[in-house]
Amino acid sequence: MRLDSKIPEGPLSDKWTDYRSSIPLVNPANKRNLEVIVVGSGLAGASAGATLAELGYKVKVFCFQDSPRRAHSIAAQGGINAAKNYQNDGDSIYRLFYDTIKGGDYRSREANVYRLAEVSVNIIDQCVAQGVPFAREYGGLLANRSFGGVQVQRTFYAAGQTGQQLLLGAYSALQRQIGMGNVQMYARHEMLDVVLIDGKARGIIARNLINGELERHFGHAVVLCTGGYGNVFYLSTNAMGSNVTAAWKANKRGAFFANPCFTQIHPTCIPVSGEHQSKLTLMSESLRNDGRIWVPKKQKDERHPTQIPEDERDYYLERRYPAFGNLVPRDVASRAAKERCDAGYGVGATGMAVYLDYASAIIRYGKQEANKLGEYNASDQRVKELGKALVKEKYGNLFDMYEKITGDNPYEVPMRIYPAVHYTMGGLWVDYNLMTTVPGLYSLGESNFSDHGANRLGASALMQGLADGYFVIPYTIGDYLSKEIRTPSIPTDHEAFERTEKEVKERIDHLINIKGKKPVDYYHRSLGKIMWDKCGMSRNAEGLKEAIKEIQALREEFWQNVRVPGQSDEFNPELEKAGRVADFLELGELMCIDALDREESCGGHFREEHQTEDGEALRNDEDYSYVAAWENKGDGKFELHKEELAYENIKIAQRSYK
Amino acid sequence: MKLTLKVWRQRNAKVKGQFETHNIDNVSPDMSFLEMIDVLNAQIIESGGDPVAFDHDCREGICGMCSMYINGRPHGPNTGTTTCQLHMRSFKDGDTITIEPWRSVAFPVIKDLAVDRSSFDRIMSAGGFVSVNTGNARDANSLPISKEDADSAFSAAACIGCGACVAACPNGSAMLFVSAKVSQLAKLPQGQPERKSRVKNMVKQMDKEGFGFCSNHAACEVECPKSISIDNIALMNRDYLSASLASEK
Ligand SMILES: Cc1cc2nc3c(=O)[nH]c(=O)nc-3n(C[C@H](O)[C@H](O)[C@H](O)COP(=O)(O)OP(=O)(O)OC[C@H]3O[C@@H](n4cnc5c(N)ncnc54)[C@H](O)[C@@H]3O)c2cc1C
Ligand code: SF4
Ligand code: FES
């Protein structure tokens, strides 16, 4: 099968506008007869669900939490990018496009990224109209800050709770449509398979998580907005329930999975504190705006950080990357932290942490504030006090979170941080319309692979989720649905629904009946360890080969020895977990296969065999400038399909942040 | 640390529940409260029992999913803290801890510690929004909003919809939750056109869901993990009154 990305003809900057106005329309009377299933209620799903319903489609939305407002997007902290150029600092659509392609280490599609940059400006307008309380300046205009990998200030934010505010905006739009009867909401429902009829996606099988009943739902199209798969590593910054199940079932039904090995390890997270750890907490990248990262110059220096004088500190990011300093992209910052810790300069009880220090920012801000107030001779004490108040206003909730978890006060003592799994650039392969390789099956937001190449820039996931949901799918779905107006709703006693439901049921019964010895978490944790050690921040062929064998063995053991308590016809969180871990145990292997295939280092994928003399990632554009799209052939077999990437508007260069 | 846990067990909304006692050792002060429950559940599963069902997702205090009533207080002993952010260093070796679900007629128990809070979503559907379809918006900076107004709208918008306010209230009132949304939008120019209908519709739905009345007890404010202020309730009462008067004309 040849992958057709359906990128419209014409100059880059006209593609979307021209294409958008040429997509066939569906008339309002027909829209009322067309049913769309949206799985997921995060930024992508809530925005898509609300907008499609506003347009007149009959929409059903599913999520596994008890309310759509709790989707994992709620946890996003730092901000959302948009090429508004409100700061007049030289930003433009082209620059956001360029930064994203470069940040992604030249492994994403030009046309998709350009469209993303174009619609970014509409997102901010839409959110403000909904009443999203973004941070503002005293003049009443919107405030911005910078994020890694860029030299302009284009990030909009609401303290450290940007995802919450954006999601509540999209959720309110969704609830409005639910109230009007245009959307039927199915919370506490988990999609467990896609139903295909004549090769097209025609619905899903979902489990009602309260009573365990399996339900069949028909849709003329199915839109997966089910988030990322970072939890394959067990420990990640993702919410506990985040999973790959929906995307993985889609893969098994014919949707190719693209670039599964492209995962993002975020440089600033609270380090692991012990065996009991269930998840990791992010300290937003926005903290790198003002915080400085350092380790002692001496190995195993056990002095208290405030006792280590300035000239005995190694601000290694500022040293290695003077042009971007603490604001290098995530992959670069993470590897640099690992390098220092591996070399013995790490701090804290485990030596697996570096400092993120706010002392100088507090003083800088304090002086600014004192000047503003006309207190030109303010004492050091007063300057600190003013500085702390300002830092609190910008990052208060993050500092509080840090203190709650660690028991340390970050206003006084530098924070200890270490990289952790955070985001997955890989996902379902989609064309320009966001359709997967299964007709009628779409994928939006983090669940697709489309825009971030091998590394995502900070504050761009929220942008992508909302772009896909508010401004892309409402148009592109018309390309497909306009041809479906003659398809009546298919009754769910159709043989395909029956067969798929039976398969789902058998799998659930199987899990319950193993009645083995070890809890699900044991397998999840073991898988996570393999993935982190061998398919994490750096990878090599030997390790990946071992990992594949170990995962296969673990999977086998899981299916023989896992214990899932309770029954399938009741509220049973352990059963939910078991199903998700079973899918992770298959995905993990594919990630290693993909990482093994990609004989180069790019973005978040660092192959030890491929690095420059000073330890930077060494890309191989000659041979690997493609999207790796994997077809699931069943029985753990996968076939690679390549989508070659063509760069017509950007000159490919070795990425440098020096 | 060694602890004794008295946990509420209830198979579903239809049957009665009761407390079950468990002993647990090896609790580290660095564990979060939910990680301690994870350890308890692993212990129960290994001995062939039925683990305690509870709601949780983000485990960082933002999704509003976790909801435990610990030693008589929603989200436990610390102020401004969700259950998932509570750490075991807030307890002592040898403590007995009582853990219950949110109790309110409007939040029926699903199982053990998990309750049904869909009433909150229905209240939101009744009016917790600005009616603006995608694509109708003008340039964001064409509507300046004073920093004070934006900040104060943000403080109200920080509500995570957890329902602790209801669990804390002797009357089971949802006023703090509802007023947080009403007041966020009342403080912003975008919220003005629907200001009156919003408050009336949301309050109507709240009453329909079976939440109790507000007697200014203020327990909600104390227990709210996001420190949402009861000033929002005062604002909502004023708006409600003026909306009702207006509609009587
Ligand atoms: C801690 C943290 C902070 C972040 N901060 C930022 C930031 O500042 N800026 C930024 O741009 N990005 C940030 N990100 C990334 C960003 O939040 C996510 O990439 C983005 O929110 C994903 O949105 P989504 O809509 O694709 O999926 P999600 O929000 O993950 O939603 C997934 C939805 O799918 C549903 N679902 C999943 N599987 C099923 C199933 N089988 N059946 C039914 N429903 C299902 C879930 O219930 C949920 O509703 C952050 C991520 C984390 C972890
Ligand atoms: S007002 Fe506070 S306690 Fe009530 S739902 Fe919101 S965050 Fe929870
Ligand atoms: S689990 Fe999300 S707030 Fe506690």
Side-chain angles (χ1 to χ4, degrees):
Chain A
M1 178 176 172
R2 212 183 69 80
L3 286 168
D4 180 4
S5 55
K6 303 227 174 82
I7 293 172
E9 295 296 316
L12 186 64
S13 58
D14 297 343
K15 280 185 201 289
W16 177 235
T17 322
D18 291 351
Y19 177 65
R20 202 175 53 178
S21 40
S22 73
I23 301 174
L25 297 176
V26 181
N27 91 36
N30 285 331
K31 281 200 189 114
R32 280 195 287 277
N33 297 325
L34 288 170
E35 300 175 40
V36 181
I37 287 180
V38 176
V39 187
S41 64
L43 287 181
S47 59
T51 307
L52 291 170
E54 286 164 8
L55 290 174
Y57 295 108
K58 261 170 86 174
V59 179
K60 286 182 177 177
V61 175
F62 293 78
C63 73
F64 64 76
Q65 291 90 351
D66 70 331
S67 160
R69 68 178 290 152
R70 308 202 203 283
H72 167 59
S73 296
I74 200 89
Q77 301 173 347
I80 175 166
N81 289 328
K84 281 285 199 187
N85 193 28
Y86 282 163
Q87 304 305 325
N88 195 28
D89 56 1
D91 200 7
S92 64
I93 289 172
Y94 184 85
R95 197 178 287 274
L96 173 53
F97 156 73
Y98 176 82
D99 286 344
T100 308
I101 295 267
K102 176 184 173 196
D105 219 354
Y106 305 93
R107 289 292 173 266
S108 45
R109 248 189 230 146
E110 279 191 340
N112 284 56
V113 176
Y114 196 86
R115 172 176 68 188
L116 175 66
E118 266 181 293
V119 304
S120 69
V121 297
N122 305 102
I123 296 173
I124 302 305
D125 301 343
Q126 182 62 28
C127 296
V128 166
Q130 291 169 341
V132 169
F134 283 120
R136 289 181 181 263
E137 305 290 357
Y138 282 100
L141 301 181
L142 292 163
N144 290 114
R145 56 188 172 203
S146 5
F147 257 59
V150 302
Q151 290 168 314
V152 294
Q153 294 201 330
R154 64 161 75 100
T155 306
F156 295 79
Y157 63 99
Q161 286 152 257
T162 317
Q164 179 196 31
Q165 296 308 320
L166 295 174
L167 183 60
L168 292 181
Y171 159 78
S172 70
L174 180 65
Q175 287 302 131
R176 175 169 162 250
Q177 293 302 316
I178 294 171
M180 291 161 85
N182 301 332
V183 172
Q184 259 181 296
M185 183 68 217
Y186 295 84
R188 292 206 198 259
H189 274 67
E190 181 164 30
M191 167 195 150
L192 292 178
D193 216 337
V194 200
V195 178
L196 264 58
I197 297 177
D198 299 331
K200 292 178 175 173
R202 290 301 190 194
I204 62 168
I205 304 296
R207 180 167 178 270
N208 175 332
L209 300 181
I210 296 182
N211 59 21
E213 266 165 37
L214 293 181
E215 299 173 3
R216 306 169 185 182
H217 295 273
F218 164 80
H220 288 88
V222 175
V223 184
L224 301 182
C225 311
T226 46
Y229 52 86
N231 274 350
V232 67
F233 290 87
Y234 186 67
L235 289 182
S236 85
T237 61
N238 289 11
M240 300 299 288
S242 299
N243 69 90
V244 77
T245 291
W248 194 247
K249 301 302 187 204
N251 179 245
K252 289 184 143 180
R253 298 278 174 205
F256 295 0
F257 208 106
N259 299 334
C261 82
F262 287 169
T263 45
Q264 176 162 83
I265 315 276
H266 196 294
T268 53
C269 302
I270 300 179
V272 177
S273 76
E275 268 297 302
H276 56 268
Q277 192 99 23
S278 59
K279 75 153 290 183
L280 295 170
T281 301
L282 174 73
M283 287 286 104
S284 168
E285 173 161 313
S286 57
L287 292 170
R288 284 200 274 143
N289 259 306
D290 290 314
R292 297 178 70 195
I293 295 182
W294 61 277
V295 292
K297 281 188 179 160
K298 214 167 75 198
Q299 282 172 327
K300 303 214 164 49
D301 191 334
E302 280 176 5
R303 281 176 294 176
H304 190 269
T306 52
Q307 302 299 314
I308 301 179
E310 219 24 61
D311 60 345
E312 293 178 41
R313 300 174 174 194
D314 177 14
Y315 294 91
Y316 58 88
L317 288 176
E318 297 167 32
R319 167 171 60 79
R320 281 177 72 177
Y321 307 100
F324 281 70
N326 291 295
L327 284 175
V328 290
R330 293 176 175 176
D331 53 334
V332 177
S334 289
R335 276 197 296 278
K338 180 175 175 348
E339 186 278 328
R340 282 293 81 189
C341 294
D342 288 350
Y345 296 91
V347 300
T350 56
M352 293 311 262
V354 301
Y355 290 124
L356 173 61
D357 198 336
Y358 259 69
S360 58
I362 287 175
I363 292 176
R364 179 163 46 87
Y365 280 128
K367 284 193 179 142
Q368 260 176 29
E369 287 297 291
N371 286 344
K372 251 194 234 163
L373 296 168
E375 299 178 21
Y376 302 109
N377 299 318
S379 65
D380 288 359
Q381 180 69 18
R382 174 72 180 147
V383 166
K384 266 197 180 161
E385 197 177 292
L386 290 169
K388 277 184 203 164
L390 203 113
V391 166
K392 189 173 171 65
E393 185 181 320
K394 289 192 158 194
Y395 310 106
N397 72 315
L398 301 173
F399 277 50
D400 288 351
M401 201 149 78
Y402 181 86
E403 183 163 5
K404 280 189 185 126
I405 293 175
T406 61
D408 287 343
N409 175 356
Y411 293 98
E412 303 296 339
V413 187
M415 289 180 248
R416 270 176 281 115
I417 52 155
Y418 196 69
V421 175
H422 179 60
Y423 181 88
T424 50
M425 281 74 69
L428 291 172
W429 185 91
V430 289
D431 63 16
Y432 192 71
N433 290 328
L434 304 182
M435 187 148 93
T436 67
T437 46
V438 173
L441 183 65
Y442 292 81
S443 174
L444 276 54
E446 192 174 340
S447 70
N448 74 26
F449 88 105
S450 70
D451 297 338
H452 308 293
N455 173 57
R456 174 174 70 79
L457 290 181
S460 285
L462 301 183
M463 168 172 74
Q464 185 220 333
L466 290 180
D468 288 359
Y470 283 136
F471 297 108
V472 179
I473 194 74
Y475 291 96
T476 59
I477 204 168
D479 184 54
Y480 180 76
L481 289 180
S482 59
K483 296 174 207 122
E484 292 288 331
I485 51 176
R486 278 177 208 85
T487 313
S489 299
I490 301 174
T492 54
D493 57 6
H494 186 284
E495 174 274 333
F497 276 98
E498 204 146 303
R499 180 169 26 89
T500 314
E501 185 189 301
K502 190 162 157 268
E503 285 169 24
V504 170
K505 184 169 184 317
E506 281 167 3
R507 187 175 158 98
I508 291 176
D509 290 343
H510 190 166
L511 282 169
I512 294 260
N513 289 328
I514 297 171
K515 298 200 190 320
K517 292 231 159 51
K518 296 198 179 127
V520 177
D521 280 349
Y522 164 82
Y523 292 97
H524 197 179
R525 208 177 270 130
S526 309
L527 173 66
K529 185 160 173 17
I530 302 174
M531 296 302 293
W532 178 248
D533 289 346
K534 295 178 175 160
C535 195
M537 247 186 296
S538 70
R539 303 145 178 200
N540 62 54
E542 200 187 333
L544 288 166
K545 284 180 193 151
E546 282 165 17
I548 291 173
K549 287 217 174 75
E550 291 169 29
I551 295 170
Q552 288 168 346
L554 189 68
R555 193 165 63 222
E556 193 149 312
E557 195 202 315
F558 171 88
W559 282 102
Q560 269 156 25
N561 202 23
V562 72
R563 167 171 293 182
V564 183
Q567 303 304 321
S568 58
D569 61 353
E570 61 175 352
F571 186 67
N572 189 343
E574 283 294 313
L575 175 61
E576 295 163 30
K577 261 198 301 197
R580 294 169 191 162
V581 171
D583 292 333
F584 280 139
L585 282 164
E586 296 179 14
L587 167 79
E589 183 178 352
L590 178 61
M591 289 169 68
C592 295
I593 295 175
D594 186 44
L596 196 55
D597 173 77
R598 196 169 278 280
E599 288 278 356
E600 64 164 347
S601 292
C602 64
H605 170 65
F606 189 77
R607 279 286 299 268
E608 287 158 15
E609 301 93 324
H610 305 286
Q611 51 181 307
T612 63
E613 265 171 25
D614 45 1
E616 303 294 338
L618 191 58
R619 251 183 18 237
N620 176 350
D621 295 323
E622 195 77 5
D623 301 314
Y624 290 94
S625 188
Y626 61 74
V627 176
W630 297 91
E631 179 179 4
N632 194 323
K633 301 293 242 182
D635 292 330
K637 301 260 173 332
F638 299 91
E639 183 181 332
L640 174 63
H641 301 262
K642 297 178 184 174
E643 180 198 337
E644 297 293 337
L645 292 166
Y647 288 92
E648 289 160 0
N649 298 278
I650 278 187
K651 217 173 115 291
I652 299 201
Q654 197 63 33
R655 211 167 49 140
S656 168
Y657 292 94
K658 300 197 164 172
Chain B
M1 280 156 67
K2 282 189 181 163
L3 300 168
T4 304
L5 304 175
K6 289 175 69 184
V7 190
W8 186 257
R9 304 305 306 263
Q10 184 173 346
R11 274 210 90 78
N12 55 50
K14 293 185 201 102
V15 302
K16 272 186 137 179
Q18 72 289 318
F19 283 104
E20 192 175 86
T21 305
H22 291 274
N23 292 313
I24 169 168
D25 327 335
N26 286 328
V27 173
S28 125
D30 286 333
M31 279 181 185
S32 71
F33 198 82
L34 297 184
E35 283 165 351
M36 185 272 293
I37 302 285
D38 290 341
V39 174
L40 169 71
N41 275 344
Q43 192 175 303
I44 297 178
I45 293 170
E46 279 183 32
S47 64
D50 187 23
V52 180
F54 64 99
D55 274 329
H56 65 113
D57 199 25
C58 72
R59 294 205 176 185
E60 49 189 58
I62 194 76
C63 74
M65 191 112 175
C66 62
S67 42
M68 292 185 189
Y69 197 78
I70 302 163
N71 287 343
R73 297 185 63 180
H75 295 305
N78 298 354
T79 51
T81 306
T82 55
T83 305
C84 59
Q85 289 178 305
L86 178 62
H87 279 68
M88 296 316 291
R89 64 181 84 91
S90 300
F91 297 88
K92 292 191 310 292
D93 188 30
D95 275 358
T96 297
I97 306 176
T98 311
I99 311 168
E100 298 167 78
W102 283 177
R103 298 203 191 268
S104 156
V105 278
F107 292 161
V109 169
I110 292 175
K111 186 178 177 187
D112 299 338
L113 305 173
V115 299
D116 177 356
R117 284 170 288 195
S118 53
S119 46
F120 271 14
D121 292 324
R122 290 188 292 272
I123 295 174
M124 284 292 292
S125 278
F129 46 75
V130 173
S131 296
V132 50
N133 282 0
T134 307
N136 290 343
R138 55 179 169 159
D139 183 77
N141 260 355
S142 67
L143 180 71
I145 300 174
S146 80
K147 187 167 174 344
E148 291 75 26
D149 287 346
D151 286 351
S152 112
F154 172 79
S155 304
C159 163
I160 57 174
C162 63
C165 44
V166 177
C169 177
N171 310 322
S173 165
M175 287 289 271
L176 193 62
F177 166 75
V178 179
S179 70
K181 187 47 75 179
V182 165
S183 118
Q184 174 202 342
L185 296 175
K187 283 174 176 164
L188 295 171
Q190 300 92 310
Q192 299 313 314
E194 297 165 284
R195 184 164 176 174
K196 292 198 164 125
S197 58
R198 175 178 308 113
V199 66
K200 275 176 40 187
N201 293 337
M202 290 182 78
V203 169
K204 194 168 142 205
Q205 187 65 32
M206 171 178 83
D207 292 342
K208 206 168 130 190
E209 296 290 348
F211 290 102
F213 60 95
C214 169
S215 54
N216 293 320
H217 202 271
C220 53
E221 186 187 55
V222 179
E223 301 297 353
C224 170
K226 296 293 137 179
S227 309
I228 302 290
S229 159
I230 50 168
D231 293 350
N232 293 307
I233 298 185
L235 181 148
M236 176 161 103
N237 283 334
R238 280 197 304 277
D239 270 19
Y240 185 73
L241 195 65
S242 84
S244 313
L245 289 175
S247 63
E248 275 167 20
K249 268 184 224 154

